[in-house]
Amino acid sequence: MNDGYDAGYGDGGPYELVGYDEYGRPVYRQAADQGTQQAQHHDPYGQQGQQGQQTQQGYGYDPYATGGHQQPGYDPYGNGGGYGYDPYATGGHQQPAYDPYGQGAHPDGTGQQPRVTEQTAYIPEQPGSAPERTAHIPRQARPPDDGGSAPEYRTEQFAFVEEPDGDSEDVIDWLKFTENRTERREEARRRARSRIIALTVVLALVVAGGVGYLWYAGKLPGLSASDADTGTTAAGAQKRDVLVVHLHDTENGGTSTALLVDNATTEQGTTVLLPNSLALTAEDGTTTTLAKSVEDDGSEGTRTALDTVLGTDIEGTWRLDTPFLLTLVDLVGNIEVDTDTDVPDPDAGKKGGPPLVKKGKGQTLSGKMAVAYATHRAPGEAQDAQLERFGQVLHGVLRKMTSDPDAATVTVQTLGQIIEPPLTDADLGAFLAGLSDLAKGGDHRTELLPVEEDGTLTAEASDGVVKDVLGGTAKSPDRDAAVTVSVRNATGDEDDTEKARVVLLNGGFTFLEGGTAGSAEATSEVVYADPAEKENATEVAKTLGLPADAVTKGKISGNARVAVVLGQDYDPGS
């Protein structure tokens, strides 16, 4: 880019640095013709006198000059066509003003700048310099007519400025903060991993210790050969809830007992029917029957005796009288049962009429019909048949019961019966709701506990129902602890044998079947062989309702300690 000096003053010789102005910018001059250059000197105040025709340009005028040619003045406003205005000038020619851009016209109108022999160059600062400039390069005027060669720069002409580093400390502090925060996070992660590893080790030690204790105590499930083969959980290690329910027939007398079992491990519900002839150990240590225990020892005593015989843990007793059973069936909206016999209407009496309950599948039973069916026992029929009907009614009730514990509790409370402690309304409602859910899903069954004639548990009962369903161990009372009574029926009525068996079992005696006589006998006999058994024989006669003079001393066959022959004078209802 050409400046003002390049436009009209480019004919001279080489440039020389003559100094710096008040702003630190370099000032150059062009050597004059030989003979005149050496005579010239620099006048910083611009007061050099006239040396013929002035050839120097770029200096201000002398206000004190009174004659001759005035030096061109600097007009910052550009007035006067590029010439300085001298108010004191009285004559002569005005010198052209300093034009740094070389755009002023010559006073003679030719548009040519006068040739000078000495020139001072002023290089203005480049406009639009960026803030990030780090070096200031002075602008130089190109020598005139130097053949187009580029100016030459030297190292000392550059002034380098270092960038401010005021923010460097902030950057370092931020880096340190970021590094410290990252280190803290890594340290927190390491501590968390260490805690997890330690916790895992502790849990592993606890589990190993618990398994070791169970193994040492012989309580670890799955160690038996059968469990190892089948992969099932041992019966004793399963979680069960067990309740005993006693149905009291308030019209005809007698009781029926069942165990309600909810196995949470196998998700299986079971109703276990207990025959009244089941031998139990009474509170005083004597042998009794289930029916006798319910009447004499009550709910708590019977529950304790059952736990002893069956090796289970019964949590509570639900006494269900027949009026409450009737109301319960009506509350759930009737039940459906596959009945096995016709049941007469008890209100019809001897007049006969159609049966209250008809035999058939899917019979709908109301409350009254359900009670009649659950307590029905035909003449000469074993008590087990009636007990199984009771189990059918219980199963039908569970299927119609609500599965919601709160709603089931409301149903129990609506019955208005008093629940015996420690059982509560809420406990019974939640228990029945759980069994109802299993019954609706087909996971509920009914089983009869098999017992011997003397009331002791059979091997089938010990290995099946007691162990698998109840998770207990059978422990029947010692047969030698009870008086064994052999009964031979000579009444002519086969049902009298069963009636005598029930009475003797309820009295705490062990019953032995003695067969049936070929012909009827008029009187009954109670015989003992050992004089020490006379008192026991007298007690047997009293239990059967026989007179005291029926007791005699004689011979006894078999293992019985007392032998009985039932004659026609025997009255089962006495």
Side-chain angles (χ1 to χ4, degrees):
M1 173 178 177
N2 294 331
D3 52 20
Y5 300 100
D6 294 334
Y9 304 96
D11 298 335
Y15 283 87
E16 291 181 356
L17 178 65
V18 295
Y20 297 87
D21 59 7
E22 57 273 358
Y23 300 102
R25 290 173 294 193
V27 178
Y28 299 90
R29 72 178 179 181
Q30 186 177 22
D33 294 339
Q34 293 182 359
T36 61
Q37 180 178 0
Q38 295 179 356
Q40 295 177 351
H41 64 275
H42 174 66
D43 185 0
Y45 299 99
Q47 296 180 357
Q48 183 180 359
Q50 295 182 357
Q51 299 177 1
Q53 184 181 0
Q54 294 289 340
T55 62
Q56 191 173 10
Q57 202 176 38
Y59 293 90
Y61 69 94
D62 185 3
Y64 302 99
T66 58
H69 295 284
Q70 293 289 338
Q71 299 293 333
Y74 172 70
D75 182 6
Y77 302 99
N79 296 326
Y83 291 88
Y85 171 72
D86 186 4
Y88 302 99
T90 57
H93 297 284
Q94 295 285 344
Q95 297 293 332
Y98 166 67
D99 184 1
Y101 302 101
Q103 298 176 354
H106 194 274
D108 59 4
T110 62
Q112 298 292 332
Q113 296 291 342
R115 181 173 180 177
V116 295
T117 59
E118 182 176 346
Q119 179 179 342
T120 302
Y122 168 73
I123 307 300
E125 183 179 357
Q126 293 290 338
S129 59
E132 62 272 9
R133 291 177 56 191
T134 58
H136 172 70
I137 302 175
R139 184 182 180 90
Q140 298 186 13
R142 189 182 62 182
D145 298 336
D146 57 354
S149 60
E152 197 178 309
Y153 298 101
R154 292 185 300 274
T155 304
E156 59 270 15
Q157 294 176 336
F158 297 88
F160 294 92
V161 180
E162 294 183 0
E163 293 185 357
D165 56 355
D167 296 335
S168 60
E169 291 297 331
D170 295 339
V171 175
I172 294 175
D173 292 341
W174 170 253
L175 293 177
K176 289 182 179 179
F177 169 74
T178 305
E179 182 179 1
N180 293 338
R181 183 173 61 178
T182 303
E183 292 178 354
R184 289 195 297 269
R185 290 178 177 175
E186 293 295 332
E187 182 63 24
R189 293 192 185 100
R190 287 194 294 269
R191 288 197 298 267
R193 287 194 293 267
S194 300
R195 294 192 187 100
I196 294 175
I197 294 174
L199 180 59
T200 304
V201 172
V202 172
L203 291 177
L205 293 176
V206 171
V207 172
V211 172
Y213 170 77
L214 293 176
W215 174 83
Y216 176 79
K219 300 180 180 180
L220 188 65
L223 293 181
S224 63
S226 60
D227 292 338
D229 295 337
T230 60
T232 58
T233 306
Q238 298 173 6
K239 175 66 173 62
R240 299 175 179 84
D241 293 324
V242 182
L243 290 182
V244 57
V245 52
H246 299 298
L247 176 64
H248 288 255
D249 188 352
T250 57
E251 292 291 334
N252 304 315
T255 60
S256 302
T257 302
L259 295 178
L260 300 178
V261 183
D262 184 359
N263 192 321
T265 303
T266 61
E267 296 183 353
Q268 178 69 44
T270 308
T271 297
V272 180
L273 305 174
L274 305 181
N276 283 334
S277 61
L278 177 64
L280 301 176
T281 301
E283 294 180 348
D284 58 0
T286 62
T287 301
T288 185
T289 61
L290 174 59
K292 186 73 171 176
S293 178
V294 173
E295 293 179 0
D296 297 344
D297 299 334
S299 299
E300 185 176 357
T302 302
R303 185 169 65 246
T304 302
L306 288 173
D307 285 339
T308 302
V309 171
L310 303 176
T312 186
D313 184 13
I314 300 174
E315 300 175 14
T317 301
W318 180 24
R319 173 168 175 160
L320 184 63
D321 294 348
T322 49
F324 294 122
L325 176 60
L326 187 151
T327 304
L328 179 60
V329 173
D330 289 339
L331 285 174
V332 299
N334 299 335
I335 61 175
E336 292 184 358
V337 176
D338 295 336
T339 58
D340 61 356
T341 186
D342 291 340
V343 178
D345 188 352
D347 296 336
K350 297 181 180 180
K351 297 179 181 179
L356 178 63
V357 178
K358 294 182 179 180
K359 179 181 178 180
K361 293 185 177 180
Q363 295 295 314
T364 300
L365 304 181
S366 63
K368 180 181 178 180
M369 297 167 66
V371 170
Y373 184 76
T375 59
H376 176 70
R377 180 178 178 183
E381 190 176 44
Q383 194 256 342
D384 292 348
Q386 176 268 322
L387 193 59
E388 289 179 349
R389 297 186 186 104
F390 173 50
Q392 288 180 287
V393 172
L394 285 178
H395 181 75
V397 171
L398 291 175
R399 291 191 60 186
K400 293 298 294 289
M401 194 81 176
T402 177
S403 300
D404 181 65
D406 295 335
T409 301
V410 173
T411 301
V412 171
Q413 293 172 344
T414 306
L415 294 176
Q417 66 178 138
I418 299 176
I419 304 300
E420 299 182 18
L423 196 64
T424 64
D425 295 343
D427 294 337
L428 180 58
F431 182 79
L432 295 177
L435 285 179
S436 174
D437 192 43
L438 295 175
K440 293 174 183 177
D443 297 321
H444 178 271
R445 66 180 187 271
T446 301
E447 293 193 16
L448 177 66
L449 180 69
V451 296
E452 301 285 359
E453 291 185 354
D454 59 355
T456 58
L457 297 174
T458 65
E460 180 184 358
S462 300
D463 296 336
V465 177
V466 175
K467 180 180 179 181
D468 297 337
V469 177
L470 300 177
T473 303
K475 187 180 179 182
S476 293
D478 187 2
R479 292 185 179 183
D480 296 335
V483 177
T484 305
V485 180
S486 174
V487 177
R488 185 170 180 262
N489 187 1
T491 63
D493 187 355
E494 295 180 358
D495 293 340
D496 289 343
T497 302
E498 178 62 24
K499 294 176 181 178
R501 185 181 75 86
V502 173
V503 172
L504 289 173
L505 290 176
N506 289 338
F509 299 98
T510 301
F511 176 84
L512 291 178
E513 178 67 40
T516 302
S519 60
E521 296 183 10
T523 60
S524 301
E525 291 182 356
V526 179
V527 182
Y528 64 93
D530 188 351
E533 301 294 341
K534 181 179 179 180
E535 184 178 354
N536 291 330
T538 302
E539 187 65 27
V540 169
K542 182 179 179 181
T543 301
L544 292 173
L546 301 176
D549 56 4
V551 179
T552 61
K553 187 176 182 301
K555 294 182 179 180
I556 298 177
S557 62
N559 298 325
R561 296 163 62 180
V562 177
V564 177
V565 178
L566 295 178
Q568 293 180 341
D569 62 345
Y570 172 65
D571 183 7
S574 61

mmCIF file of all heavy atoms in Angstrom, residues 353-388:
data_model
loop_
_atom_site.group_PDB
_atom_site.id
_atom_site.type_symbol
_atom_site.label_atom_id
_atom_site.label_comp_id
_atom_site.label_asym_id
_atom_site.label_seq_id
_atom_site.Cartn_x
_atom_site.Cartn_y
_atom_site.Cartn_z
ATOM 1 N N GLY A 353 -91.511 -88.834 54.470
ATOM 2 C CA GLY A 353 -91.459 -87.752 53.509
ATOM 3 C C GLY A 353 -90.181 -87.770 52.716
ATOM 4 O O GLY A 353 -89.292 -88.609 52.914
ATOM 5 N N PRO A 354 -90.022 -86.851 51.814
ATOM 6 C CA PRO A 354 -88.801 -86.819 50.995
ATOM 7 C C PRO A 354 -87.586 -86.477 51.845
ATOM 8 O O PRO A 354 -87.686 -85.782 52.859
ATOM 9 C CB PRO A 354 -89.098 -85.729 49.973
ATOM 10 C CG PRO A 354 -90.098 -84.840 50.633
ATOM 11 C CD PRO A 354 -90.939 -85.751 51.498
ATOM 12 N N PRO A 355 -86.414 -86.975 51.442
ATOM 13 C CA PRO A 355 -85.202 -86.670 52.221
ATOM 14 C C PRO A 355 -84.843 -85.196 52.123
ATOM 15 O O PRO A 355 -85.137 -84.514 51.138
ATOM 16 C CB PRO A 355 -84.150 -87.565 51.587
ATOM 17 C CG PRO A 355 -84.622 -87.789 50.197
ATOM 18 C CD PRO A 355 -86.117 -87.808 50.269
ATOM 19 N N LEU A 356 -84.200 -84.739 53.186
ATOM 20 C CA LEU A 356 -83.725 -83.347 53.178
ATOM 21 C C LEU A 356 -82.555 -83.192 52.224
ATOM 22 O O LEU A 356 -82.443 -82.185 51.515
ATOM 23 C CB LEU A 356 -83.323 -82.925 54.596
ATOM 24 C CG LEU A 356 -82.767 -81.516 54.755
ATOM 25 C CD1 LEU A 356 -83.826 -80.494 54.385
ATOM 26 C CD2 LEU A 356 -82.279 -81.302 56.187
ATOM 27 N N VAL A 357 -81.675 -84.187 52.210
ATOM 28 C CA VAL A 357 -80.506 -84.177 51.327
ATOM 29 C C VAL A 357 -80.564 -85.419 50.457
ATOM 30 O O VAL A 357 -80.702 -86.537 50.978
ATOM 31 C CB VAL A 357 -79.178 -84.149 52.123
ATOM 32 C CG1 VAL A 357 -77.983 -84.179 51.168
ATOM 33 C CG2 VAL A 357 -79.110 -82.921 53.017
ATOM 34 N N LYS A 358 -80.469 -85.230 49.167
ATOM 35 C CA LYS A 358 -80.505 -86.354 48.239
ATOM 36 C C LYS A 358 -79.095 -86.765 47.853
ATOM 37 O O LYS A 358 -78.177 -85.942 47.782
ATOM 38 C CB LYS A 358 -81.288 -85.976 46.980
ATOM 39 C CG LYS A 358 -82.765 -85.722 47.216
ATOM 40 C CD LYS A 358 -83.474 -85.402 45.909
ATOM 41 C CE LYS A 358 -84.960 -85.171 46.142
ATOM 42 N NZ LYS A 358 -85.690 -84.857 44.874
ATOM 43 N N LYS A 359 -78.956 -88.048 47.595
ATOM 44 C CA LYS A 359 -77.672 -88.570 47.165
ATOM 45 C C LYS A 359 -77.425 -88.161 45.719
ATOM 46 O O LYS A 359 -78.307 -88.270 44.867
ATOM 47 C CB LYS A 359 -77.659 -90.091 47.291
ATOM 48 C CG LYS A 359 -76.351 -90.740 46.839
ATOM 49 C CD LYS A 359 -76.426 -92.258 46.964
ATOM 50 C CE LYS A 359 -75.143 -92.910 46.479
ATOM 51 N NZ LYS A 359 -75.194 -94.388 46.589
ATOM 52 N N GLY A 360 -76.194 -87.729 45.441
ATOM 53 C CA GLY A 360 -75.854 -87.348 44.071
ATOM 54 C C GLY A 360 -74.681 -86.383 44.035
ATOM 55 O O GLY A 360 -74.238 -85.848 45.058
ATOM 56 N N LYS A 361 -74.179 -86.154 42.824
ATOM 57 C CA LYS A 361 -73.045 -85.255 42.635
ATOM 58 C C LYS A 361 -73.524 -83.813 42.477
ATOM 59 O O LYS A 361 -74.566 -83.557 41.858
ATOM 60 C CB LYS A 361 -72.240 -85.661 41.408
ATOM 61 C CG LYS A 361 -71.523 -86.995 41.555
ATOM 62 C CD LYS A 361 -70.640 -87.268 40.343
ATOM 63 C CE LYS A 361 -69.862 -88.571 40.532
ATOM 64 N NZ LYS A 361 -68.990 -88.854 39.366
ATOM 65 N N GLY A 362 -72.715 -82.924 43.011
ATOM 66 C CA GLY A 362 -72.984 -81.499 42.858
ATOM 67 C C GLY A 362 -74.279 -81.054 43.490
ATOM 68 O O GLY A 362 -74.944 -80.165 42.961
ATOM 69 N N GLN A 363 -74.582 -81.607 44.653
ATOM 70 C CA GLN A 363 -75.804 -81.208 45.360
ATOM 71 C C GLN A 363 -75.561 -79.878 46.071
ATOM 72 O O GLN A 363 -74.555 -79.691 46.759
ATOM 73 C CB GLN A 363 -76.207 -82.271 46.378
ATOM 74 C CG GLN A 363 -76.602 -83.607 45.753
ATOM 75 C CD GLN A 363 -77.858 -83.501 44.918
ATOM 76 O OE1 GLN A 363 -78.850 -82.893 45.351
ATOM 77 N NE2 GLN A 363 -77.839 -84.081 43.720
ATOM 78 N N THR A 364 -76.496 -78.959 45.897
ATOM 79 C CA THR A 364 -76.405 -77.666 46.571
ATOM 80 C C THR A 364 -77.053 -77.777 47.941
ATOM 81 O O THR A 364 -78.220 -78.146 48.053
ATOM 82 C CB THR A 364 -77.104 -76.571 45.745
ATOM 83 O OG1 THR A 364 -76.483 -76.481 44.460
ATOM 84 C CG2 THR A 364 -77.015 -75.223 46.441
ATOM 85 N N LEU A 365 -76.257 -77.434 48.973
ATOM 86 C CA LEU A 365 -76.717 -77.577 50.351
ATOM 87 C C LEU A 365 -76.811 -76.203 51.001
ATOM 88 O O LEU A 365 -75.868 -75.394 50.941
ATOM 89 C CB LEU A 365 -75.771 -78.456 51.152
ATOM 90 C CG LEU A 365 -75.487 -79.872 50.602
ATOM 91 C CD1 LEU A 365 -74.545 -80.614 51.541
ATOM 92 C CD2 LEU A 365 -76.772 -80.647 50.378
ATOM 93 N N SER A 366 -77.941 -75.966 51.636
ATOM 94 C CA SER A 366 -78.109 -74.776 52.462
ATOM 95 C C SER A 366 -77.494 -75.037 53.832
ATOM 96 O O SER A 366 -76.935 -76.107 54.084
ATOM 97 C CB SER A 366 -79.594 -74.433 52.593
ATOM 98 O OG SER A 366 -80.283 -75.480 53.266
ATOM 99 N N GLY A 367 -77.612 -74.062 54.715
ATOM 100 C CA GLY A 367 -77.054 -74.249 56.043
ATOM 101 C C GLY A 367 -77.672 -75.417 56.790
ATOM 102 O O GLY A 367 -76.967 -76.234 57.387
ATOM 103 N N LYS A 368 -78.996 -75.510 56.747
ATOM 104 C CA LYS A 368 -79.677 -76.603 57.429
ATOM 105 C C LYS A 368 -79.319 -77.949 56.829
ATOM 106 O O LYS A 368 -79.065 -78.936 57.545
ATOM 107 C CB LYS A 368 -81.180 -76.382 57.347
ATOM 108 C CG LYS A 368 -82.003 -77.469 58.026
ATOM 109 C CD LYS A 368 -83.489 -77.188 57.891
ATOM 110 C CE LYS A 368 -84.301 -78.319 58.547
ATOM 111 N NZ LYS A 368 -85.758 -78.067 58.430
ATOM 112 N N MET A 369 -79.261 -78.044 55.513
ATOM 113 C CA MET A 369 -78.921 -79.287 54.836
ATOM 114 C C MET A 369 -77.476 -79.685 55.114
ATOM 115 O O MET A 369 -77.167 -80.870 55.280
ATOM 116 C CB MET A 369 -79.150 -79.120 53.335
ATOM 117 C CG MET A 369 -80.605 -78.839 52.955
ATOM 118 S SD MET A 369 -80.794 -78.292 51.236
ATOM 119 C CE MET A 369 -80.304 -79.769 50.358
ATOM 120 N N ALA A 370 -76.576 -78.697 55.166
ATOM 121 C CA ALA A 370 -75.165 -78.996 55.435
ATOM 122 C C ALA A 370 -74.984 -79.560 56.829
ATOM 123 O O ALA A 370 -74.204 -80.500 57.037
ATOM 124 C CB ALA A 370 -74.330 -77.728 55.254
ATOM 125 N N VAL A 371 -75.684 -79.026 57.817
ATOM 126 C CA VAL A 371 -75.573 -79.541 59.186
ATOM 127 C C VAL A 371 -76.116 -80.971 59.254
ATOM 128 O O VAL A 371 -75.510 -81.859 59.888
ATOM 129 C CB VAL A 371 -76.318 -78.612 60.161
ATOM 130 C CG1 VAL A 371 -76.425 -79.262 61.540
ATOM 131 C CG2 VAL A 371 -75.611 -77.274 60.254
ATOM 132 N N ALA A 372 -77.244 -81.207 58.608
ATOM 133 C CA ALA A 372 -77.828 -82.552 58.626
ATOM 134 C C ALA A 372 -76.898 -83.561 57.966
ATOM 135 O O ALA A 372 -76.740 -84.700 58.452
ATOM 136 C CB ALA A 372 -79.184 -82.536 57.939
ATOM 137 N N TYR A 373 -76.273 -83.162 56.872
ATOM 138 C CA TYR A 373 -75.374 -84.090 56.169
ATOM 139 C C TYR A 373 -74.085 -84.317 56.957
ATOM 140 O O TYR A 373 -73.562 -85.433 57.008
ATOM 141 C CB TYR A 373 -75.056 -83.536 54.781
ATOM 142 C CG TYR A 373 -74.223 -84.459 53.926
ATOM 143 C CD1 TYR A 373 -74.780 -85.577 53.322
ATOM 144 C CD2 TYR A 373 -72.864 -84.209 53.722
ATOM 145 C CE1 TYR A 373 -74.023 -86.434 52.542
ATOM 146 C CE2 TYR A 373 -72.093 -85.050 52.937
ATOM 147 C CZ TYR A 373 -72.675 -86.161 52.356
ATOM 148 O OH TYR A 373 -71.919 -87.011 51.583
ATOM 149 N N ALA A 374 -73.533 -83.268 57.588
ATOM 150 C CA ALA A 374 -72.260 -83.394 58.305
ATOM 151 C C ALA A 374 -72.393 -84.234 59.564
ATOM 152 O O ALA A 374 -71.416 -84.852 60.002
ATOM 153 C CB ALA A 374 -71.718 -82.008 58.652
ATOM 154 N N THR A 375 -73.566 -84.298 60.181
ATOM 155 C CA THR A 375 -73.748 -85.051 61.438
ATOM 156 C C THR A 375 -74.473 -86.378 61.234
ATOM 157 O O THR A 375 -74.674 -87.105 62.218
ATOM 158 C CB THR A 375 -74.547 -84.192 62.437
ATOM 159 O OG1 THR A 375 -75.828 -83.856 61.868
ATOM 160 C CG2 THR A 375 -73.780 -82.915 62.780
ATOM 161 N N HIS A 376 -74.835 -86.694 59.998
ATOM 162 C CA HIS A 376 -75.614 -87.915 59.766
ATOM 163 C C HIS A 376 -74.743 -89.161 59.924
ATOM 164 O O HIS A 376 -73.647 -89.250 59.382
ATOM 165 C CB HIS A 376 -76.225 -87.893 58.369
ATOM 166 C CG HIS A 376 -76.955 -89.146 58.022
ATOM 167 N ND1 HIS A 376 -78.160 -89.489 58.621
ATOM 168 C CD2 HIS A 376 -76.655 -90.174 57.155
ATOM 169 C CE1 HIS A 376 -78.569 -90.636 58.138
ATOM 170 N NE2 HIS A 376 -77.662 -91.086 57.244
ATOM 171 N N ARG A 377 -75.314 -90.124 60.688
ATOM 172 C CA ARG A 377 -74.669 -91.431 60.856
ATOM 173 C C ARG A 377 -75.784 -92.486 60.873
ATOM 174 O O ARG A 377 -76.602 -92.526 61.796
ATOM 175 C CB ARG A 377 -73.851 -91.477 62.149
ATOM 176 C CG ARG A 377 -73.144 -92.810 62.391
ATOM 177 C CD ARG A 377 -72.331 -92.747 63.670
ATOM 178 N NE ARG A 377 -71.676 -94.024 63.952
ATOM 179 C CZ ARG A 377 -70.950 -94.252 65.033
ATOM 180 N NH1 ARG A 377 -70.792 -93.279 65.957
ATOM 181 N NH2 ARG A 377 -70.395 -95.435 65.230
ATOM 182 N N ALA A 378 -75.777 -93.316 59.878
ATOM 183 C CA ALA A 378 -76.831 -94.329 59.743
ATOM 184 C C ALA A 378 -76.656 -95.414 60.801
ATOM 185 O O ALA A 378 -75.559 -95.601 61.335
ATOM 186 C CB ALA A 378 -76.791 -94.937 58.343
ATOM 187 N N PRO A 379 -77.748 -96.129 61.164
ATOM 188 C CA PRO A 379 -77.639 -97.220 62.140
ATOM 189 C C PRO A 379 -76.626 -98.271 61.703
ATOM 190 O O PRO A 379 -76.614 -98.712 60.551
ATOM 191 C CB PRO A 379 -79.055 -97.802 62.178
ATOM 192 C CG PRO A 379 -79.929 -96.677 61.746
ATOM 193 C CD PRO A 379 -79.134 -95.930 60.722
ATOM 194 N N GLY A 380 -75.737 -98.666 62.653
ATOM 195 C CA GLY A 380 -74.702 -99.651 62.371
ATOM 196 C C GLY A 380 -73.545 -99.122 61.553
ATOM 197 O O GLY A 380 -72.626 -99.867 61.195
ATOM 198 N N GLU A 381 -73.529 -97.829 61.253
ATOM 199 C CA GLU A 381 -72.460 -97.261 60.423
ATOM 200 C C GLU A 381 -71.306 -96.796 61.311
ATOM 201 O O GLU A 381 -71.505 -96.269 62.408
ATOM 202 C CB GLU A 381 -73.025 -96.083 59.607
ATOM 203 C CG GLU A 381 -72.082 -95.561 58.539
ATOM 204 C CD GLU A 381 -72.728 -94.478 57.705
ATOM 205 O OE1 GLU A 381 -73.386 -93.587 58.272
ATOM 206 O OE2 GLU A 381 -72.595 -94.515 56.472
ATOM 207 N N ALA A 382 -70.095 -97.022 60.847
ATOM 208 C CA ALA A 382 -68.912 -96.588 61.588
ATOM 209 C C ALA A 382 -68.834 -95.062 61.647
ATOM 210 O O ALA A 382 -69.355 -94.345 60.783
ATOM 211 C CB ALA A 382 -67.653 -97.155 60.940
ATOM 212 N N GLN A 383 -68.176 -94.622 62.691
ATOM 213 C CA GLN A 383 -68.056 -93.172 62.875
ATOM 214 C C GLN A 383 -67.224 -92.536 61.779
ATOM 215 O O GLN A 383 -67.388 -91.353 61.487
ATOM 216 C CB GLN A 383 -67.438 -92.876 64.240
ATOM 217 C CG GLN A 383 -67.576 -91.421 64.686
ATOM 218 C CD GLN A 383 -66.278 -90.627 64.549
ATOM 219 O OE1 GLN A 383 -65.201 -91.206 64.437
ATOM 220 N NE2 GLN A 383 -66.392 -89.311 64.576
ATOM 221 N N ASP A 384 -66.359 -93.303 61.128
ATOM 222 C CA ASP A 384 -65.515 -92.744 60.071
ATOM 223 C C ASP A 384 -66.343 -92.227 58.900
ATOM 224 O O ASP A 384 -65.971 -91.242 58.254
ATOM 225 C CB ASP A 384 -64.527 -93.799 59.577
ATOM 226 C CG ASP A 384 -63.490 -94.167 60.635
ATOM 227 O OD1 ASP A 384 -63.420 -93.440 61.651
ATOM 228 O OD2 ASP A 384 -62.743 -95.148 60.431
ATOM 229 N N ALA A 385 -67.472 -92.878 58.605
ATOM 230 C CA ALA A 385 -68.324 -92.438 57.498
ATOM 231 C C ALA A 385 -68.905 -91.062 57.784
ATOM 232 O O ALA A 385 -68.931 -90.183 56.911
ATOM 233 C CB ALA A 385 -69.427 -93.468 57.255
ATOM 234 N N GLN A 386 -69.404 -90.898 59.005
ATOM 235 C CA GLN A 386 -69.926 -89.579 59.381
ATOM 236 C C GLN A 386 -68.822 -88.537 59.371
ATOM 237 O O GLN A 386 -69.043 -87.381 58.965
ATOM 238 C CB GLN A 386 -70.564 -89.672 60.757
ATOM 239 C CG GLN A 386 -71.069 -88.335 61.320
ATOM 240 C CD GLN A 386 -70.010 -87.634 62.175
ATOM 241 O OE1 GLN A 386 -69.262 -88.297 62.925
ATOM 242 N NE2 GLN A 386 -69.946 -86.316 62.075
ATOM 243 N N LEU A 387 -67.622 -88.936 59.785
ATOM 244 C CA LEU A 387 -66.502 -88.000 59.826
ATOM 245 C C LEU A 387 -66.126 -87.532 58.421
ATOM 246 O O LEU A 387 -65.789 -86.359 58.217
ATOM 247 C CB LEU A 387 -65.312 -88.663 60.516
ATOM 248 C CG LEU A 387 -64.149 -87.759 60.944
ATOM 249 C CD1 LEU A 387 -64.631 -86.700 61.908
ATOM 250 C CD2 LEU A 387 -63.036 -88.596 61.565
ATOM 251 N N GLU A 388 -66.211 -88.431 57.456
ATOM 252 C CA GLU A 388 -65.881 -88.039 56.089
ATOM 253 C C GLU A 388 -66.914 -87.068 55.518
ATOM 254 O O GLU A 388 -66.572 -86.190 54.715
ATOM 255 C CB GLU A 388 -65.763 -89.281 55.210
ATOM 256 C CG GLU A 388 -64.510 -90.114 55.536
ATOM 257 C CD GLU A 388 -64.424 -91.363 54.679
ATOM 258 O OE1 GLU A 388 -65.431 -91.682 53.993
ATOM 259 O OE2 GLU A 388 -63.359 -92.007 54.678
#
